[in-house]
Amino acid sequence: MSSEERRGGPAAGNAEGAHGRPAVRPRTMMVHAGHGPDPHTGAVNVPIYLSSTFAQERPGVHKGYEYARTGNPTREALERHIAALEGGVRGFAFASGLAAETTLLSLLKAGDHVIVGDDVYGGTYRLVEQVFTRLGLAATYADTSDIDAFAAAFRPETRMVIMESLTNPLMKVSDLERVAEVTRAHGAWLVVDNTFLTPYFQRPLELGADMVVHSATKYLGGHSDVVAGLVVVKDEELGQRIHYLQNAMGAILGVQDSYLLLRGMKTLALRMEAHAENARRIAQWLAGQPWVTRVLYPGLPGHPGREILARQATGFGGMLSFDAGTPERAERIVSRTRLFALAESLGGVESLISIPARMTHASIPPERRARLGITDSLVRISAGIEDAEDLIEDLARAAGE
Ligand SMILES: *Cc1c(COP(=O)(O)O)cnc(C)c1O
C-alpha cells in the first residue's frame, strides 16, 4: 500500500468532517490539518492567545472558552492538528510527554494492572515503577514483540497496555494489529507511544490502538526547543474522560509552547523523510565497518521488524543503534564527534549521539539493562537532517585511532 492510499483512508475523512476541509494526502495534512486562517483577521498562523480568562456575556454564556487551563484557542488549534494527523477524534496537549502519560495512567485506580512494554522509554518505566505502583497500581513488563509472551502477561484486572511499536535503543518492532487484537480480547485499553515513528510513518489508531501518546519534545517539535506531550483518542467517550483529567490535573501545555509546536509540526513530513534517509545511509555504512559488531535499524535488510513495519508503517524512522565492539571505543566515538552532539533526546534537525546505558537508560537498574541487551558499548544515534556524507565522515574520524 502506498503512503498516499494508506493516509487517504477513513481517518483522513475524520479530519475533513471536523473542519470542513477536503480529505488530503499526508504532506498536505501536516501543513493544513487542524486549522485554517484566523477567521477574525485572516492571519495564516494561529494567534498566541495570551489570556488566562475569557469574558462571559452572562454567567455561563461564553464563546467556548472560560479559563485557559480548561481550554485556550492556541492550544486547541494544536490539539485539533494532532488529532487530525493521528486520525483520532480528539487531541490533548500537555506540559511534557511524561505529563501526558501521568494523565493517561490516572484513568486507572488502585488494584488495576497495567502491562508495559519491557523496552519502553526509561522515564515511562520510572513513572510506572516508582510513582504509580506506590499508589496501588500493579505493573508487568512484557516483550510486546513476542505475542505469546505478551498475551501471557494479562490478568483479570489488566486495564491498560502501554507500549512503543518501535523501541529504542534496541529497535524492537511489535505487530500492532496483533497486540491490539489481544488487548481488545482482554477488554483493556491499548496506549501506543508513537514518539519514534510519528503519525507521518505510522498511525496506531488505524491499527487498533485506543490512545496514542507522544513526547512532542522529539520529532513533532523537531527543533529541540520545546518540551511537550500530546495524546489522541479514538472515540468521544475517551475524549471526555481525558479532557476531564487534563482539566482536573492541570498538566497543560502553555500557549507559547503550543504555538512553537504547531510551527514545528508543519514541516514534519519533510523532516521525517530526511531523518529516515540519513539513518538508512549511516546504518548501511556502519554495517560495513569491521569494528562494528551489530547495527540495529529496522530499515536494514535482515532486521527482524522490517517486514512488520513495511506493512504497518510507511517508513523506518530516524533512530539507529550500533555496538561499537568495546565500551572504550563507544566512549571515544561519542566524545570525539564534531557534528553529532553528545546529548540525550532525539528527533531534532541536528544529529545527536549517546550511550544509552550511561545516559537515557541509566535509571534502569543494571541487571535489567543487561537482561535487555543495553550494553555499555551500545551507541545510539538520532540522525538529523544534515548531509549524510558529512555525518558519516564525522563518525569515521571519531572512530579512528
Ligand atoms: C522522551 C520520551 C518520553 C518522555 O517525554 P518528555 O517530553 O521528555 O516528558 C516518552 N516516550 C518516549 C518514547 C520518549 O522518547
Side-chain angles (χ1 to χ4, degrees), residues 81-83 85-87 91-101 104 121 124 163-164 191-205 211-221 227-233 253 261 265 268 272:
H81 192 65
I82 189 64
L85 298 195
E86 288 286 5
F92 302 93
F94 296 91
S96 68
L98 284 175
E101 291 182 44
L104 286 183
Y121 176 70
T124 303
M163 48 90 68
E164 299 166 15
V191 176
V192 176
D193 181 335
N194 198 23
T195 300
F196 288 96
L197 285 172
T198 81
Y200 187 66
F201 283 146
Q202 187 171 63
R203 303 219 293 178
L205 298 178
M211 290 172 264
V212 169
V213 63
H214 281 279
S215 171
T217 312
K218 317 293 169 53
Y219 287 110
L220 295 183
V227 173
L230 295 171
V231 167
V232 180
V233 298
L253 189 64
L261 191 49
M265 284 167 70
L268 184 68
M272 289 315 289

Side-chain angles (χ1 to χ4, degrees), residues 251-298:
I252 52 157
L253 189 64
V255 284
Q256 318 223 29
D257 285 346
S258 295
Y259 176 83
L260 259 186
L261 191 49
L262 258 179
R263 177 183 165 136
M265 284 167 70
K266 291 180 191 179
T267 54
L268 184 68
L270 302 177
R271 287 187 286 106
M272 289 315 289
E273 283 172 12
H275 287 300
E277 173 62 9
N278 279 354
R280 186 189 63 77
R281 290 184 60 184
I282 294 167
Q284 231 166 21
W285 177 79
L286 284 166
Q289 304 308 302
W291 48 271
V292 174
T293 57
R294 175 163 87 127
V295 182
L296 302 173
Y297 181 62

